[in-house]
Amino acid sequence: MEFRLLLLDGIPWIISELGKQVLILEPKVKEGHLEKIHRIYQILDKENDPIISDIVPAYTSIAIYFSASKEKTLSYLKLLDFSKLKSNTSITKVVDVHYNNGLDWENVLAKTGLSKSEIIEKHSSPVYTVAMIGFIPGFIFLDGLMPELAISRLNTPRTKIPAGSIGIGGNQTGIYSLESPGGWNIIGSTNQQCFDIKNQPPISVSPGDKMKFNPILD
């Protein structure tokens, strides 16, 4: 079943059900999806109401797991006060990147047509937004990659990429917080730990946070 939930944060959202206890919310806007999704995430996280058991933001939608009835959950969402939120313009995390640890420089240089120093400058200049966390625990998807650096993923993914690797895949850049398989072009690594199962929460950033790369050339 699908229906429209009007004027949630001032815009219409399409609501669909994923099983009995999950709602999928999609903002009906032509652009700015991530900002709207992050606002929903941030206010639900701030409210910390027991009616919401989990919140999972993605690029074009957000999944809301609820413990009450669907009707009560929808009523709760309609009453959220987004005026409580303030714009997040500060850099919340600076990550040191050892660019000489890149595994795919040859491929990246060939596909971009740029020099290594140009790529490092363009990759480390933006203030990125944490778009979402996935596809494995702790993988950080970052929004804000310069278009000149957008390149396709590897034709043959690696079976093992070291934890801390930083790569480019399509028009995104991201951090492999854990060792895992993957097909992104690795251009560096960080020694800073972004994910630790012993911490609560285990990930050191949240969707909507800002991140800046600090180049370390050694």
Side-chain angles (χ1 to χ4, degrees), residues 18 33 38 65 70 83 99 117-118 146 149 156 170 177 207:
L18 182 65
H33 288 79
H38 290 159
Y65 292 70
K70 181 182 65 178
S83 65
Y99 282 100
S117 61
E118 288 174 322
M146 289 190 178
L149 300 184
T156 303
S177 296

Side-chain angles (χ1 to χ4, degrees), residues 71-214:
E71 291 72 21
K72 186 174 181 179
T73 303
L74 289 172
S75 297
Y76 168 74
L77 292 174
K78 291 178 183 179
L79 294 175
L80 291 174
D81 183 3
F82 289 89
S83 65
K84 298 178 181 178
L85 290 178
K86 297 180 180 180
S87 298
N88 182 7
T89 57
S90 62
I91 298 170
T92 60
K93 190 172 185 65
V94 176
V95 175
D96 294 335
V97 182
H98 297 265
Y99 282 100
N100 286 339
N101 292 344
L103 304 175
D104 297 299
W105 273 112
E106 184 177 343
N107 187 49
V108 176
L109 291 168
K111 286 188 174 181
T112 62
L114 300 171
S115 67
K116 184 175 181 179
S117 61
E118 288 174 322
I119 292 169
I120 292 172
E121 193 278 329
K122 290 180 182 295
H123 187 260
S124 60
S125 292
V127 176
Y128 294 95
T129 298
V130 178
M132 57 178 283
I133 310 297
F135 61 103
I136 58 170
F139 187 95
I140 302 171
F141 288 87
L142 296 171
D143 184 60
L145 183 71
M146 289 190 178
E148 303 94 314
L149 300 184
I151 57 175
S152 58
R153 291 167 173 77
L154 302 176
N155 292 329
T156 303
R158 289 187 173 88
T159 57
K160 184 183 294 185
I161 292 179
S165 293
I166 295 171
I168 295 173
N171 61 356
Q172 303 164 328
T173 189
I175 303 175
Y176 287 80
S177 296
L178 300 175
E179 181 183 283
S180 76
W184 289 33
N185 299 273
I186 305 303
I187 61 171
S189 67
T190 181
N191 295 327
Q192 293 169 237
Q193 192 171 21
C194 298
F195 183 86
D196 188 341
I197 194 66
K198 297 189 294 294
N199 295 334
Q200 285 299 324
I203 188 74
S204 61
V205 293
S206 298
D209 285 349
K210 303 297 180 181
M211 183 176 286
K212 185 79 166 59
F213 289 137
N214 177 43

Side-chain angles (χ1 to χ4, degrees), residues 21-40:
Q21 299 296 129
V22 184
L23 295 174
I24 303 296
L25 281 67
E26 300 177 72
K28 293 293 289 182
V29 291
K30 292 184 178 180
E31 55 186 31
H33 288 79
L34 268 179
E35 181 184 356
K36 294 297 184 182
I37 289 166
H38 290 159
R39 283 174 59 82
I40 293 279

